Amino acid sequence: MLAVLAAVAAYPLIRTFYFSFTDASIDLIDEAQWVGFRNYLEYVDYGEGEGEYFGLLVDERWWRAVWNTLRFTFLSVTFETAFGLVVALVLNTNFRGRALVRAAVLIPWAIPTIVSAKMWAWMMHDQFGILNDMLMRLHVIAEPVAWTASDQTAMLAVLIVDVWKTTPFMALLILAGLQMIPADIYEAAKLDGISPVRVFWRVTWPLVLPAVLVAVVFRALDALRVFDIIYVLTPNNDATRTMSIFARENLFDFDQFAYGSAASTLLFLIIAMLTISFIWATRMNVEREE
Amino acid sequence: MNSLRTLLMALAGSSMLALSAQAVELNIVHGAIGKDNEVLRKELDRFEEKTGHTVNIVSMPESTTDQFGQYKLWLAAQSSDIDVYRIDVIGAPQIAEHFVDLTEHTKDIIGDFVPAAVESQTVDGKLVALPMFLGAPALYYRKDLLEKYGEPVPTTWQDMTETAKRIMEAERAEGNEAMWGFVFQGAPYEGLTCNAQEWIASFGGGRIVETDGSIGINNEKAAEALDLAASWVGTIAPEGVLNYQEEDSRGVFQSGNAVFMRNWNYAYALAAGEDSPVKGKFAVTTLPVGAEGERSAATLGGWHLGVAKYSKHQEEAIELVRFLNNYENQKERAIETSRPPTLTAVYDDPDVAEKQEFIPLWKPVVDNALPRPSAATKRKYNEVSSEFWTAVHDTLSGDGTAEENLRKLEAKLKRLRGSAW
């Protein structure tokens, strides 16, 4: 087991670390030379007290990508958790055809991301898109909006698609948490005549919180390495370029394999740090004590 | 029964051997679009018959970028699996060290090829790939609308801007709400580099990086060209053009909602197709110029054949490359897949003119074709192009003026170049 793990996880990881300290280019990987921290930070001395810093740590585009990623993660996870909770609460009640509805809400999540992203790209098309058509008929907008084109709406477009796609996933995880709450608590609350709002805040919310937090961690991990949805909807756009997109661009499109490796390494470190601090902050019990 | 089959196999095998003393197996790789594979297979069958060698087609995804990534991985591994690569015009020069120098092997025929195509594949005097077919854009215009409003075909970008505006406004006044003046490829990607290079060059603003490697992009004429282009967005071109690639613009034009379109030759066959709403209503001309006296510029596209240095059958692979680029095969491709040939003579072939009326129309377009600076910037081309399209896209979307963005671009390119490309 350990050997398999080492082969599929540790080896590629270590190799990426290694390449980030070299000047490797993708088609001449064997000729890679060790260059130390140059890909991360390097001070080039021009002489006479003049000089300039280069490298990933001072790369404006990289930090823009980091900021985009964090913004995307925060916003998408917030909305998805809120909507997911609402959907889960609805699905947790008894009504006719519940099984069917439960299956139906999962559809957006079941469609491969690349397919749903392409589908939405057409729906958001400024000339032929159904979204503009609908909003214009409803008089919400006066003119077609170029959703994926303009810098102002690019992030919004990506968020709309991601929230649409991933809310079912959050709903599913939270629903599982809701179903763990014993029904007799609610019966007791009902007998005591406590208002539903109070029941939610005093009973449901504290009991479902652990499940919500697990869902948030799962989702945040996914969101931090978001790639496909953005690559399809708004490729090469400064307003939505994330860390993964930045890394891929340098690794494969540009002749900057080492720089891309350095970006991947930082991406790994940032995600690891955020995850650990989140788990610590919420005192989540990772190793379950029985 | 079994023994009979063995005997037959042995006989077949020995006759094959007799046919050609050293029949080898070759592999050619390319990303197939439309009828590419079908036509190539037909040509390979003829090659097999003629030489006794076997050729397999290794098919790839459609996206140039995806293909290029895979090619780099194969070449990095010095794989001998692939003998011949069909590679995008900007691809081979970036990874020139992995390909055989074809100069000596094509000395006798290279003079027949379109010079711009040969130039685009020459790196430091080394011919890395032999041009297979070209791609070049043109200005598509609505013949019927120009006639209706008595407008001549524009020759300068300013004329085009004014004509587009007039016709668009008149059509909209008549109730044709969805009408636009001009569509092009404005998404931040390689296509925008092609578009913007044309505007700038036709204004006399030079190339992104000159053939000698110098960076002269930060000049008044280039700024003037970009300012004009920026004025199109939201006026004669929809704002969505900032995320348009080829098919988006073709969609608008072909559904009858644009007066002008800048697009590659492939769109002609489709827009002239049986089910096209603009069939018979449009025509093509060379792209406009910036000012009287300047030359029209069309970015050179196309696909070319390179032989991998790691091929175990280089001689046969070179033979194949030469074969696929001979007159007969180029003519066939021109007719069947509407690909502009790389042999100058095919453009004047009467059969081609009859079957694909637009191929001769593309001759002046190809003659003016402007290569992208991939030969000059080599391995850094993709990054150069990315910096360029970012500067242009920023200008088009109103994020900084052309002058500011070009100044930044110049600084970035100089830093990227370092001491040499």
Side-chain angles (χ1 to χ4, degrees):
Chain A
M1 189 60 213
L2 223 57
V4 173
L5 209 62
V8 301
Y11 176 70
L13 201 65
I14 290 167
R15 220 167 130 81
T16 306
F17 284 170
Y18 165 72
F19 281 127
S20 74
F21 294 106
T22 65
D23 63 355
S25 73
I26 188 165
D27 59 323
L28 302 169
I29 250 170
D30 294 334
E31 291 166 33
Q33 300 280 324
W34 185 266
V35 295
F37 275 95
R38 215 164 73 188
N39 290 314
Y40 294 96
L41 193 64
E42 182 193 22
Y43 184 77
V44 179
D45 198 348
Y46 299 153
E48 293 177 12
E50 269 191 273
E52 216 179 324
Y53 279 104
F54 290 105
L56 202 57
L57 292 174
V58 290
D59 189 334
E60 213 180 290
R61 289 182 70 234
W62 163 252
W63 290 114
R64 178 94 197 256
V66 173
W67 168 238
N68 283 341
T69 315
L70 295 179
R71 202 157 63 111
F72 170 81
T73 305
F74 178 76
L75 290 172
S76 70
V77 175
T78 306
F79 283 116
E80 283 153 18
T81 311
F83 293 149
L85 186 65
V86 172
V87 173
L89 285 171
V90 170
L91 290 181
N92 198 36
T93 58
N94 267 316
F95 59 90
R96 269 164 65 94
R98 185 169 71 156
L100 198 71
V101 176
R102 274 190 192 175
V105 292
L106 279 177
I107 290 175
W109 187 57
I111 299 173
T113 312
I114 208 93
V115 176
S116 52
K118 199 71 213 172
M119 190 176 85
W120 274 93
W122 281 110
M123 298 208 302
M124 288 176 163
H125 196 281
D126 66 318
Q127 298 295 306
F128 321 116
I130 191 169
L131 194 65
N132 279 328
D133 190 57
M134 280 176 3
L135 291 177
M136 274 168 72
R137 277 167 204 268
L138 294 172
H139 298 287
V140 178
I141 51 173
E143 290 206 336
V145 176
W147 293 98
T148 54
S150 93
D151 284 1
Q152 286 83 38
T153 51
M155 185 56 102
L156 182 66
V158 170
L159 281 170
I160 290 173
V161 180
D162 198 69
V163 168
W164 172 82
K165 190 189 149 48
T166 320
T167 298
F169 171 75
M170 295 298 276
L172 194 70
L173 288 188
I174 297 170
L175 181 62
L178 284 175
Q179 307 235 299
M180 304 275 283
I181 303 173
D184 44 6
I185 302 183
Y186 290 107
E187 273 162 30
K190 209 172 174 183
L191 285 178
D192 291 344
I194 298 168
S195 79
V197 177
R198 230 172 116 83
V199 172
F200 175 79
W201 285 116
R202 288 299 175 84
V203 179
T204 313
W205 180 244
L207 287 174
V208 82
L209 190 63
V212 171
L213 288 179
V214 169
V216 165
V217 172
F218 271 33
R219 186 54 214 138
L221 284 179
D222 244 9
L224 284 168
R225 54 187 179 76
V226 61
F227 176 77
D228 36 15
I229 214 167
I230 289 170
Y231 190 67
V232 174
L233 273 179
T234 59
N236 301 325
N237 193 323
D238 275 340
T240 55
R241 184 184 286 102
T242 60
M243 292 189 275
S244 305
I245 303 250
F246 180 94
R248 195 211 73 96
E249 186 177 75
N250 279 285
L251 284 168
F252 298 109
D253 286 353
F254 300 162
D255 190 46
Q256 303 262 29
F257 193 76
Y259 203 63
S261 299
S264 308
T265 306
L266 279 193
L267 167 65
F268 171 79
L269 291 178
I270 289 173
I271 292 185
M273 252 161 45
L274 287 174
T275 314
I276 291 167
S277 46
F278 189 85
I279 289 174
W280 181 79
T282 58
R283 314 240 149 75
M284 205 179 279
N285 206 350
V286 183
E287 305 220 358
R288 205 163 42 159
E289 289 152 28
E290 298 277 341
Chain B
M1 187 65 207
N2 250 340
S3 57
L4 185 64
R5 195 193 283 163
T6 319
L7 183 68
L8 280 174
M9 295 264 280
L11 274 173
S14 59
S15 62
M16 284 282 285
L17 279 177
L19 204 86
S20 141
Q22 62 281 55
V24 300
E25 199 176 329
L26 296 170
N27 291 306
I28 181 167
V29 68
H30 76 135
I33 299 175
K35 288 166 78 185
D36 280 355
N37 254 348
E38 204 181 309
V39 174
L40 183 69
R41 189 65 256 171
K42 239 175 15 184
E43 292 170 354
L44 293 177
D45 287 345
R46 287 203 294 271
F47 179 75
E48 289 180 350
E49 207 176 305
K50 203 178 118 202
T51 60
H53 305 315
T54 322
V55 194
N56 307 314
I57 299 178
V58 181
S59 212
M60 291 288 292
E62 202 179 305
S63 151
T64 313
T65 326
D66 293 344
Q67 287 167 37
F68 194 51
Q70 176 61 49
Y71 290 0
K72 281 202 249 185
L73 291 174
W74 265 322
L75 292 165
Q78 312 208 339
S79 161
S80 61
D81 292 348
I82 309 295
D83 302 282
V84 177
Y85 285 82
R86 193 193 81 172
I87 189 164
D88 194 350
V89 58
I90 50 170
Q94 294 182 57
I95 44 174
E97 54 269 71
H98 296 290
F99 290 102
V100 173
D101 184 359
L102 297 171
T103 316
E104 280 300 307
H105 306 283
T106 55
K107 249 190 337 209
D108 52 327
I109 51 168
I110 202 71
D112 303 333
F113 283 77
V114 174
V118 177
E119 189 206 324
S120 73
Q121 299 306 298
T122 308
V123 180
D124 298 332
K126 173 181 171 182
L127 184 65
V128 288
L130 191 64
M132 186 184 192
F133 54 79
L134 295 173
L139 185 71
Y140 291 67
Y141 62 93
R142 286 286 296 277
K143 217 166 39 180
D144 58 331
L145 291 179
L146 258 59
E147 267 163 29
K148 183 174 166 188
Y149 294 99
E151 297 279 359
V153 179
T155 53
T156 69
W157 287 111
Q158 283 86 353
D159 284 350
M160 192 224 54
T161 311
E162 282 153 28
T163 310
K165 193 159 188 284
R166 261 201 299 279
I167 296 183
M168 181 182 101
E169 278 165 5
E171 281 291 302
R172 286 190 171 195
E174 280 186 21
N176 204 344
E177 284 291 329
M179 185 56 93
W180 286 100
F182 180 47
V183 283
F184 57 97
Q185 294 79 45
Y189 78 122
E190 189 60 31
L192 180 57
T193 294
C194 299
N195 278 260
Q197 170 177 274
E198 288 155 4
W199 308 329
I200 290 175
S202 67
F203 265 83
R207 292 160 70 157
I208 309 163
V209 173
E210 302 298 328
T211 20
D212 63 359
S214 61
I215 300 161
I217 187 66
N218 182 16
N219 63 65
E220 268 173 39
K221 285 181 170 170
E224 199 187 325
L226 292 188
D227 278 334
L228 179 67
S231 78
W232 296 333
V233 180
T235 58
I236 59 167
E239 208 202 340
V241 83
L242 291 171
N243 209 17
Y244 276 14
Q245 299 196 3
E246 282 81 358
E247 288 295 83
D248 302 289
S249 35
R250 184 173 70 83
V252 176
F253 184 79
Q254 195 165 320
S255 51
N257 292 339
V259 186
F260 295 104
M261 167 177 73
R262 178 265 184 210
N263 213 330
W264 303 89
N265 46 282
Y266 88 99
Y268 190 98
L270 294 161
E274 282 305 320
D275 56 350
S276 165
V278 295
K279 179 179 186 279
K281 292 183 183 165
F282 75 98
V284 292
T285 182
T286 48
L287 290 172
V289 297
E292 298 292 342
E294 293 293 348
R295 267 171 47 130
S296 161
T299 297
L300 182 72
W303 294 84
H304 308 316
L305 296 171
V307 175
K309 229 159 90 182
Y310 318 109
S311 161
K312 291 205 178 79
H313 312 291
Q314 283 186 17
E315 228 170 273
E316 292 82 1
I318 292 166
E319 196 183 341
L320 174 63
V321 167
R322 285 181 56 117
F323 174 82
L324 287 175
N325 282 326
N326 69 19
Y327 191 91
E328 183 202 350
N329 287 319
Q330 292 228 12
K331 182 174 161 181
E332 182 182 59
R333 276 196 299 272
I335 292 172
E336 299 216 4
T337 60
S338 68
R339 300 290 203 184
T342 53
L343 285 172
T344 321
V346 182
Y347 286 92
D348 305 322
D349 191 298
D351 291 345
V352 173
E354 193 196 324
K355 300 244 171 59
Q356 281 289 3
E357 49 180 355
F358 78 94
I359 291 269
L361 296 179
W362 243 269
K363 190 170 185 229
V365 180
V366 170
D367 278 344
N368 289 325
L370 184 70
R372 278 160 279 171
S374 58
T377 56
K378 299 187 195 91
R379 311 179 66 85
K380 289 176 184 158
Y381 172 73
N382 278 358
E383 219 175 339
V384 169
S385 178
S386 165
E387 293 291 2
F388 179 65
W389 81 51
T390 304
V392 175
H393 196 262
D394 283 350
T395 313
L396 293 185
S397 39
D399 185 1
T401 65
E403 204 196 335
E404 286 162 18
N405 287 324
L406 285 174
R407 198 172 57 232
K408 276 192 228 161
L409 174 66
E410 185 185 33
K412 282 180 181 168
L413 290 182
K414 279 189 172 151
R415 196 173 105 188
L416 189 58
R417 178 179 62 183
S419 56
W421 288 109

